[in-house]
Amino acid sequence: MWTLLILHDAFDGYTRFDQFQESLGISSSMLTTRLKSLVVDGLLERRPYQTSPVRHEYMFTELGRSLHPVIVTLAAWGNSRLTPTERSMILVDAHSGKEVEPVVDAKTGRRLDDSATYVFTAGPAASDAMRIRYATRPAIPADEA
């Protein structure tokens, strides 16, 4: 859970240890551990921003930035289970300020919330067990695989 909250704060522009700690109320040792993991996993990079004493900031890598749609979708999912007055944050269009719901298929524009409409199927690298699991599901057309 802390990792997702750290990533969310990073997408809000937080880069420094003290910013994350103040925002989240997380212990120094837990924050240190989580930030190290995010660096090792290639989602954040640690850069010095001050030399005396040495202080670092944490910036997204390209891989880390690619998680933005995932974090946005998780936030939208959470908000969908709350009444409008219970929401502590709302996703809006940065230019218009209008609330948005990002949970749509980019190709068709249809909502992804219907679990009967969208299902997983075996991909090209699927193991035999995965292919058996999804044997009754639609296969990916050859021109898309």
Side-chain angles (χ1 to χ4, degrees):
M1 182 65 143
W2 285 121
T3 300
L4 287 174
L5 294 172
I6 292 166
L7 289 170
H8 181 269
D9 276 359
F11 280 118
D12 273 351
Y14 293 22
T15 61
R16 297 181 180 175
F17 190 95
D18 58 331
Q19 292 173 317
F20 292 117
Q21 191 171 33
E22 183 178 334
S23 170
L24 301 172
I26 186 173
S27 72
S28 294
S29 61
M30 178 63 74
L31 181 55
T32 298
T33 300
R34 299 296 179 184
L35 287 170
K36 281 182 182 179
S37 293
L38 288 166
V39 170
V40 168
D41 292 342
L43 301 174
L44 296 176
E45 64 177 309
R46 186 173 178 239
R47 297 181 193 164
Y49 70 88
Q50 179 178 310
T51 56
S52 186
V54 176
R55 303 241 187 230
H56 294 89
E57 62 184 352
Y58 296 86
M59 306 298 292
F60 275 116
T61 62
E62 186 175 331
L63 179 62
R65 278 188 298 279
S66 73
L67 276 173
H68 191 255
V70 176
I71 301 298
V72 164
T73 301
L74 282 170
W77 173 82
N79 273 348
S80 73
R81 274 111 187 102
L82 301 172
T83 66
T85 59
E86 294 174 316
R87 297 176 183 176
S88 60
M89 64 179 179
I90 298 170
L91 184 67
V92 297
D93 179 282
H95 300 288
S96 71
K98 292 184 180 180
E99 184 172 0
V100 296
E101 291 188 44
V103 190
V104 297
D105 172 17
K107 292 183 181 179
T108 65
R110 292 191 325 231
R111 291 185 56 84
L112 297 178
D113 57 359
D114 182 358
S115 62
T117 302
Y118 298 96
V119 296
F120 288 104
T121 193
S127 65
D128 289 340
M130 186 68 69
R131 290 183 191 288
I132 291 168
R133 175 180 178 167
Y134 292 131
T136 61
R137 302 277 175 89
I140 299 172
D143 62 336
E144 292 183 28

